[in-house]
Amino acid sequence: MARGTTFLEAHGVPELLAPAGGPEPFNAALAAGADAIYCGLGNDFNARRGAHNFDDESFAAACRRAHLAGTRVYVTVNVAVSTEEMPRVLDLVRRAWGLGADAFIIQDWGLMAEIRRRWPEVETHVSTQANVHDARGVAWCRGVWGVDRVTLSRELSLAEISRIAEEGVELECFGHGALCFCYSGVCLMSSLNGGRSANRGLCAQPCRLPYDLIDEGGNVMEIPGVATQGLPEKSRGVGGTRLLCPKDYCTVDRLAEMRDAGVGSLKVEGRMKAPDYVLSVVGAYRDALDALAAGEDSEAGAAARHRRLKRAFNRDFTDSYLWGRSDNDMMSYERSNNRGEVVGEVMGSRQLEDAVVRRGGGNGGRERMRRLTRADVEVRLTAPVDEGDLLELRPVDDPTQFLTAPAPADAAAGESIICRAARPMPAGSVVRLIRSQRALDEAARVADKDVVRRRPVRVSVTARLGEPFSVELSCVDGAASARAEGFVVEAARTREVTGEELVEHVGRMGQSPFEPVEWDVTLDSGCGMSFSAVHKVRAEACAYLEEALLAPYACRGGSPCKGDSHFCTPGRAKVTVPFARAAPSARPLVLPTICALVTAPECAEAALAAGATRVYAPADDLAEGAWPEGVIPWLDEICREADHARLDRWVRAGEPVAVGNVSELALAVERGALPEVRSCVPVHNESCLAALEDAGAAGVWLSPELTLDEVCALARAARVPVGLSVLGRERVMTSEHCVLQALGQCIHDCRRCALRRRRLSLRDIDGRELPVRTDVNGRSRIWFGQPLDATPQVDVLLAAGVSRLLVDAQLMDEEEVAAAVGRVARAVEAARAGRKPARRLPGATSGHLFAGIG
């Protein structure tokens, strides 16, 4: 497929993009029919650093297998990168390209700038971590960077995707798997909770943990029962505390609509998932896409796909986002672990005589005896099971007392089986199949094979008397062809060869990666030949076709850039050259500016009175009330098509505006405004700083994930004013789903919602209280449980050139705003007088200033 031609244009259906956290899941994805596979090289610079991932040798071998099968390989470098790390990341890109990577998935705009500058021929994809969710943002990615593909946010609807597709950039969209509660790329929950940053591939998944929603007095608010789809009626109505846990996404029944909307690549999530999961999910979507391409499907086929998906890990399924919904239907409030498929219920149990197990006693040690309780549990099946399937038996009255047991034999729906369990289970307990033995066996069969999927080829055999015997192989998809010639065909001395025999012997392609599907045999009558000689010609034709398919990668020589002496051959030269950046021009000393971000006019007045000289307000709040003159719009971190009407009007020529994503940056530059890039567009390296400056940023707010040393280094390198939040609460999540919906009181009119105006919080398992607010658009924002206080470091920040010090006062009232701004003002005064600012406030945190992220 030529670069510039999308998969959708070439094939009429979206590309099936599969995950691989290592060689075994990679083989599973290949065997299941993936069109492309995304994976990480090494464990340092990708968003799933906990996966097994690949070393150079295993990655090269995987690329070879994939390319021979007709599958592309994308390398994830979808994390924020520090200045110090940039040469190492670029060296990884160089190596991966030489080893066979087809494209790179990138979050960091600095890394994107470096790759596009150095190696324009390298295919680049914008990661969903870059938080792009409208046509204007996608157009910016194409116009500024020349990217080949943009991965859109998971939250977008079909209508939005369709509009964005009009820009002509290939779109990758989420198709199946785990959903983050927060918009990707702007989540700091894991980072601030324990230093494991989602922007660095180490998310601890705090959204899967239990939380209590509490009122202003610290009282737990009652979460009503939530109906559980798939359970018997008598076991429904179980409430839950997994208030931030969405169900898994599933679009297997909506592929036609996604194709019609312009989705070019359908992504399956799961680089942390096991090979059997990858094989099952990718196989189900392969079947669905093939049925779509053929224009025919059946109820039986759809049912089989659904069963296969249910028997892979899942938290139940939702496709709410596709239809512009974000209601309770998409949430898994009751549990965050695997739900599997409901396959029956417990009819009764029989206690068995306790067994005594002897342990220890070796090498003179003391022998111990342990008494084990066992029970035979009768299960009436509503769906078939296979021997070895792992079943979960969960009581209705106390779901925490569940246990697991293997299915003892194959059995059909309507039959009963006796499972050996660790203890008796009450009648009525729900039985789920949570892991398929068939999928495990299928994945194991292909785990270490060199050929797991064969490429269809047309075979042309020519045997004419007096001419060389030849075999020509042509890939059905048109990717390559090869021809081998051998012995001169002679007249038969005994028995002449038949066309059927040639088909049989040439078709024995053994361990080659090819499968003959069409034949053309030209055979003169009376020909004789040795079949071993035929086999030799066939083997040569296979080898030549392999060589032709791999030729585009072999000619790279390990380097994406011919003629660049720093990137010549693998292992010969590391990337040590500094990234391109002009030295910052000398700037006159800028007096520190005390800034405040507030949500009400009276708070703005209080901030100004206390010493703030620059006041910001969120766009929705700025639209209400009588504000002091000069308040700067603080635009959202989310800007979807529907948000333009309320956000775009605040972007004005010649006036400052804080922008929360690249769409708003693009608009500000177009209108001649003075955009300040908010910290939710993370700047972790000097390349990113330079790239955003060159793209039109008139100021930058640095990420709260930076250390003090990193902040200072970036401030010294900047050509525009640099700011940092030094006091207040840090926003850790922004969600399209309103947390308050869990209370069951949604009136579907956010402007009139009384709950939205209350000061509610989430209490985590450690007792921390995280304030939660829902805006007038129904989006929830969650703040960290501890306030930030970096005022003791104001002297160091000012000396490095951090000129804007922000009080994030979005959760403060007038008195609190005045006190906070006053504290920063005193710290500035102390620093300018050569004194050390006051000590940190009790109970406050310094964030990551002294404890960097992983």
Side-chain angles (χ1 to χ4, degrees):
M1 187 173 68
R3 188 171 178 184
T5 301
T6 68
F7 191 96
L8 182 61
E9 291 169 340
H11 300 275
V13 293
E15 170 191 83
L16 178 55
L17 176 58
E24 291 184 0
F26 192 100
N27 271 13
L30 262 185
D35 298 309
I37 301 173
Y38 64 101
C39 57
L41 177 58
N43 291 88
D44 294 330
F45 303 115
N46 69 85
R48 292 295 183 271
R49 290 165 62 189
H52 183 271
N53 293 315
F54 290 83
D55 58 20
D56 285 22
E57 182 179 359
S58 61
F59 179 73
C63 286
R64 183 181 188 279
R65 291 196 299 276
H67 294 150
L68 290 176
T71 295
R72 307 183 81 218
V73 180
Y74 306 149
V75 173
T76 54
V77 276
N78 51 343
V79 294
V81 178
S82 72
T83 299
E84 181 184 36
E85 293 170 332
M86 186 63 75
R88 285 199 292 136
V89 181
L90 291 171
D91 186 62
L92 181 147
V93 171
R94 176 193 64 82
R95 292 189 348 258
W97 180 260
L99 294 170
D102 290 283
F104 296 88
I105 303 171
I106 301 164
Q107 172 189 7
D108 191 293
W109 297 115
L111 178 60
M112 179 69 78
E114 291 299 331
I115 292 175
R116 299 304 300 154
R117 181 186 69 84
R118 296 168 182 272
W119 309 309
E121 69 273 29
V122 168
E123 185 172 325
T124 51
H125 300 176
V126 175
S127 168
T128 189
Q129 288 285 116
N131 198 32
V132 179
H133 27 55
D134 70 343
R136 192 166 59 207
V138 168
W140 183 85
C141 293
R142 175 195 57 206
V144 173
W145 306 109
V147 302
D148 298 275
R149 177 186 292 183
V150 174
T151 309
L152 296 177
S153 295
R154 295 170 171 89
E155 291 80 358
L156 300 190
S157 68
L158 283 169
E160 290 172 293
I161 294 169
S162 181
R163 164 64 190 92
I164 296 169
E166 295 174 8
E167 295 299 317
V169 180
E170 186 173 38
L171 301 179
E172 178 182 312
C173 293
F174 196 60
H176 190 95
L179 284 171
C180 295
F181 184 74
C182 179
Y183 275 88
S184 293
V186 297
C187 183
L188 301 175
M189 178 79 94
S190 178
S191 171
L192 291 178
N193 258 336
R196 293 181 57 179
S197 171
N199 286 321
R200 296 283 293 169
L202 291 173
C203 181
Q205 298 191 47
C207 54
R208 306 300 178 190
L209 297 175
Y211 293 87
D212 289 323
L213 187 59
I214 61 174
D215 64 17
E216 296 85 346
N219 304 302
V220 176
M221 304 179 75
E222 182 180 354
I223 305 298
V226 181
T228 307
Q229 184 179 5
L231 289 182
E233 186 67 35
K234 62 185 178 181
S235 63
R236 294 184 181 177
V238 179
T241 57
R242 309 291 170 151
L243 302 183
L244 307 182
C245 181
K247 297 175 182 175
D248 289 355
Y249 216 39
C250 180
T251 64
V252 73
D253 295 325
R254 304 300 179 188
L255 299 183
E257 292 93 330
M258 296 187 79
R259 174 201 61 192
D260 295 344
V263 174
S265 179
L266 189 81
K267 175 183 176 180
V268 173
E269 179 273 339
R271 280 200 294 132
M272 297 293 289
K273 297 294 200 324
D276 58 292
Y277 173 92
V278 174
L279 188 73
S280 295
V281 173
V282 175
Y285 276 83
R286 177 75 280 152
D287 182 70
L289 286 168
D290 288 348
L292 178 63
E296 54 186 41
D297 200 0
S298 66
E299 290 186 9
R305 291 193 289 271
H306 291 161
R307 174 154 290 164
R308 196 172 187 186
L309 293 174
K310 277 286 190 180
R311 295 184 176 201
F313 183 101
N314 73 88
R315 300 179 181 90
D316 204 357
F317 295 128
T318 180
D319 62 359
S320 287
Y321 283 147
L322 281 183
W323 315 108
R325 301 193 305 265
S326 54
D327 49 19
N328 280 337
D329 182 63
M330 65 171 282
M331 300 302 293
S332 180
Y333 289 136
E334 310 86 54
R335 58 192 290 186
S336 59
N337 59 355
N338 185 11
R339 291 173 180 253
E341 180 190 21
V342 175
V343 295
E345 67 175 309
V346 171
M347 305 304 292
S349 300
R350 182 173 66 89
Q351 176 93 37
L352 301 177
E353 183 177 340
D354 290 350
V356 177
V357 178
R358 299 177 183 273
R359 292 193 176 168
N363 298 322
R366 188 166 142 194
E367 185 178 74
R368 297 181 180 180
M369 290 187 295
R370 183 182 175 193
R371 189 172 296 277
L372 296 180
T373 300
R374 298 175 302 160
D376 279 345
V377 180
E378 181 183 359
V379 174
R380 169 69 74 174
L381 295 173
T382 57
V385 299
D386 293 330
E387 180 181 355
D389 286 345
L390 185 61
L391 305 180
E392 177 198 85
L393 288 62
R394 189 176 287 260
V396 174
D397 294 336
D398 187 359
T400 63
Q401 297 302 306
F402 70 93
L403 52 75
T404 60
D410 295 355
E415 296 181 358
S416 293
I417 57 174
I418 304 297
C419 296
R420 182 63 52 86
R423 64 177 185 274
M425 296 298 290
S429 295
V430 179
V431 179
R432 296 174 180 271
L433 194 160
I434 60 174
R435 196 156 197 183
S436 164
Q437 186 61 45
R438 182 178 302 181
L440 286 169
D441 292 343
E442 289 175 355
R445 278 195 290 270
V446 301
D448 57 358
K449 286 188 176 180
D450 188 50
V451 177
V452 297
R453 189 172 93 216
R454 300 184 186 279
R455 194 167 192 155
V457 294
R458 298 185 181 94
V459 185
S460 177
V461 180
T462 302
R464 308 202 70 127
L465 289 169
E467 297 180 8
F469 177 82
S470 69
V471 174
E472 183 174 357
L473 305 179
S474 303
C475 295
V476 171
D477 59 14
S481 62
R483 176 185 173 90
E485 293 183 350
F487 59 91
V488 175
V489 178
E490 298 178 349
R493 297 175 183 175
T494 54
R495 185 176 65 85
E496 67 180 89
V497 69
T498 68
E500 290 78 9
E501 289 173 320
L502 285 181
V503 168
E504 177 189 352
H505 285 273
V506 175
R508 294 178 185 174
M509 295 196 174
Q511 295 303 308
S512 82
F514 307 116
E515 177 183 9
V517 294
E518 295 181 27
W519 289 88
D520 178 25
V521 178
T522 301
L523 173 65
D524 284 350
S525 60
C527 292
M529 60 194 71
S530 161
F531 287 132
S532 62
V534 170
H535 298 164
K536 181 179 180 181
V537 177
R538 177 209 63 213
E540 288 180 352
C542 289
Y544 292 157
L545 185 56
E546 287 190 27
E547 184 179 345
L549 289 168
L550 298 175
Y553 304 95
C555 72
R556 290 176 179 176
S559 166
C561 188
K562 301 182 179 112
D564 186 335
S565 62
H566 297 288
F567 312 96
C568 293
T569 55
R572 177 175 153 191
K574 298 289 185 182
V575 178
T576 56
V577 295
F579 38 80
R581 174 159 176 77
S585 57
R587 286 185 285 143
L589 182 63
V590 178
L591 292 177
T593 303
I594 300 174
C595 309
L597 173 58
V598 299
T599 58
E602 57 271 21
C603 291
E605 297 283 6
L608 292 168
T613 55
R614 200 174 182 89
V615 176
Y616 301 82
D620 290 331
D621 297 306
L622 202 54
E624 305 287 340
W627 288 81
E629 188 175 348
V631 175
I632 299 169
W634 188 269
L635 302 188
D636 295 6
E637 55 274 20
I638 309 304
C639 185
R640 292 164 64 169
E641 299 295 330
D643 295 311
H644 290 187
R646 64 184 183 84
L647 297 178
D648 291 2
R649 66 191 181 103
W650 299 105
V651 180
R652 299 162 180 157
E655 296 184 12
V657 58
V659 298
N661 54 69
V662 297
S663 173
E664 293 162 352
L665 174 61
L667 178 65
V669 172
E670 177 187 322
R671 291 187 176 178
L674 303 173
E676 303 171 18
V677 176
R678 287 179 51 198
S679 63
C680 46
V681 181
V683 176
H684 283 242
N685 57 75
E686 293 183 25
S687 293
C688 185
L689 182 63
L692 292 175
E693 289 170 343
D694 292 343
V700 172
W701 291 92
L702 294 180
S703 168
E705 294 192 312
L706 298 172
T707 65
L708 183 61
D709 288 343
E710 289 170 330
V711 168
C712 291
L714 289 169
R716 293 188 193 101
R719 293 174 286 169
V720 297
V722 169
L724 185 73
S725 180
V726 296
L727 195 62
R729 300 266 186 170
E730 294 284 357
R731 180 205 57 80
V732 294
M733 278 190 173
T734 300
S735 170
E736 194 65 26
H737 173 78
C738 172
V739 175
L740 308 183
Q741 290 184 87
L743 294 171
Q745 302 174 28
C746 183
I747 62 172
H748 306 288
D749 186 346
C750 295
R751 289 193 176 276
R752 293 177 49 242
C753 177
L755 278 174
R756 196 175 62 79
R757 294 178 174 83
R758 297 182 60 180
R759 300 172 71 86
L760 306 181
S761 299
L762 294 171
R763 181 184 289 150
D764 68 14
I765 57 176
D766 296 318
R768 286 185 293 246
E769 297 181 4
L770 289 68
V772 56
R773 303 289 184 270
T774 295
D775 65 20
V776 72
N777 310 293
R779 293 185 184 127
S780 283
R781 288 176 176 81
I782 301 172
W783 275 264
F784 190 49
Q786 286 178 276
L788 170 74
D789 182 10
T791 57
Q793 281 67 55
V794 161
D795 55 340
V796 179
L797 296 171
L798 293 179
V802 177
S803 58
R804 292 174 180 167
L805 307 174
L806 180 69
V807 175
D808 190 331
Q810 295 180 84
L811 302 181
M812 299 181 188
D813 59 25
E814 295 170 68
E815 290 185 6
E816 292 167 331
V817 169
V821 172
R823 178 173 176 80
V824 176
R826 290 190 296 275
V828 169
E829 181 181 349
R832 295 182 65 188
R835 304 191 310 272
K836 191 68 181 169
R839 299 178 65 180
R840 203 171 327 281
L841 289 170
T845 175
S846 60
H848 286 296
L849 290 181
F850 303 105
I853 56 177

